[in-house]
Amino acid sequence: MRYEKGRKDASRQKILDVASERFRTDGIAASGLAGIMKDAGLSNGAFYPHFPSKAALVQESVSAALQAQSLQIAELLQSVGVAGMIDAYLSTQHRDDPGHGCASSALLPEIAREPGDTRALYTQGVMALVDQLATELPAGMKDREGTAVAIYSTLIGALELARAVEGEELSQRILASAAAAAKALATLDIEPKEKLS
């Protein structure tokens, strides 16, 4: 039986959406194709007409998640500025919803173990996010890109730590302390040591 192109595209997008959420919630290794396909409302056999392998699905899911995050960050930077974007990233809501949140904070250890082409794609996406943030930092900063990397690293690490610790009070302190540190970085004039490539 043949289906129209729109139906195939919709099925493919459903698989991507479910996989992206499952990978960020449960991890890449713990998310099997059978579970993803079941959650997408499709049979296991329907996977391969859309993706050649789980690795290809991971690559596309990570890329889509980074693109979605870029749009969210752009909206936040435009509406509430750098400080507001930092507050939104390090919010309780973001901490408590990894399935719809930052792919980096949910998947970094696993992405580091992915094949080189996936890591290269991830690197491109991350550097696009860094550049996006760097353009919003004070124009007089000597190393806007380096500062953006430091801010982004602070946000990701703090969110991972806030999710991992036991106890709401400690988790909130981590989020608040990291937000203050990231905002301080956004106002510093740092001498560059070496440009990132």
Side-chain angles (χ1 to χ4, degrees), residues 10-19 22 32-44 46-47 50-51 57:
S11 294
R12 187 176 199 285
Q13 189 59 51
K14 182 68 175 166
I15 296 167
L16 266 174
D17 292 344
V18 169
R22 287 284 297 269
L33 291 180
I36 290 169
M37 295 305 287
K38 181 181 177 191
D39 288 355
L42 299 166
S43 68
N44 288 350
F47 176 80
H50 298 289
F51 302 95
L57 176 62

Side-chain angles (χ1 to χ4, degrees), residues 86-105:
I86 290 169
D87 287 336
Y89 188 96
L90 294 175
S91 68
T92 304
Q93 294 82 7
H94 190 198
R95 181 199 63 194
D96 294 345
D97 190 14
H100 297 99
C102 175
S104 295
S105 63

